[in-house]
Amino acid sequence: MVQIAPSMLAADFLHLEKDVELVNEFADLFHLDIMDGTFVPNISYGFPVVEAIARKARKPLDVHLMIVHPEKYVERFAKAGAAYISFHYEAAGEASADILQQIQALGVKAGIVINPDCPVEKIFPLLPKVDFVLIMSVFAGFGGQKFIPESIDRVRAVRKQLDAIGRPDVPIEIDGGIGPANAAAVKEAGATMLVAGSSVFKADNPAAAIRAMRG
Ligand code: DX5
Ligand code: ZN
């Protein structure tokens, strides 16, 4: 079954409650993009916004950390209500396995993220330990970018490796430029969690866009 995770980066921050209710009613997860202005050249939002969403959320919070030193902040995001936390392999490197464990010890599902220029093989040693994998289909940092088609083969490669190590049930999340036009292709390749910002919140009918991605 596929899960749809609207990215709140594209929500209307002056009417956030309305968009939170949309996710509660029609989607599966809240995707929360945390950017630090150092790992990525952009700054999004922080704890006050995450905590405000958590108070109204009836679906799990999926926190995507685009920050250096994710290990310093995972505990606070867990306390703020995260059910899923992912961090970038490019930011954590050798420390990735320990950070996955740190997240899991907090009772939170732990995911590793890779940007489009990171060879998928780099994270193969971590696949026995992850709760999910997030494959970026744009370079992390901004909403509203164009989907990179090569991402489909990257999803396929990770799915194949998960099958090979006997972990076919590990979810693969895909993030960046996802919408009704490419949802079927990424699902066919093995993605099971679809992040979508612009294609949901900028749509005339967000509920219909979510339904179309579910298929
Ligand atoms: C990009 C973020 C994405 C982004 C997705 O750095 O990780 O989650 O908000 O937005 P769209 O769906 O508009 O590409
Ligand atoms: Zn994201």
Side-chain angles (χ1 to χ4, degrees), residues 4 47 158 175:
I4 308 297
F47 295 109
V158 172
D175 181 7

Coordinates of all heavy atoms in Angstrom, one line a residue, residues 4 47 158 175:
I4 N 0.8 8.6 1.1 CA 1.0 10.0 0.6 C 1.3 10.9 1.8 O 0.6 11.0 2.7 CB -0.3 10.5 -0.2 CG1 -0.8 9.5 -1.2 CG2 0.0 11.9 -0.8 CD1 0.2 9.2 -2.3
F47 N 11.2 24.2 15.5 CA 10.4 23.5 16.5 C 9.0 24.1 16.8 O 8.0 23.4 16.9 CB 11.1 23.4 17.9 CG 12.3 22.5 17.7 CD1 13.6 23.1 17.7 CD2 12.2 21.1 17.6 CE1 14.7 22.2 17.6 CE2 13.3 20.3 17.4 CZ 14.6 20.9 17.4
V158 N 17.6 0.3 -5.2 CA 17.5 0.1 -3.7 C 16.4 -0.9 -3.4 O 16.7 -1.8 -2.5 CB 17.1 1.5 -3.0 CG1 16.8 1.3 -1.5 CG2 18.3 2.5 -3.2
D175 N 11.0 11.9 -2.8 CA 10.7 13.3 -2.4 C 11.3 14.2 -3.4 O 12.5 14.3 -3.7 CB 11.3 13.5 -1.0 CG 11.1 14.9 -0.5 OD1 10.4 15.7 -1.1 OD2 11.7 15.2 0.6

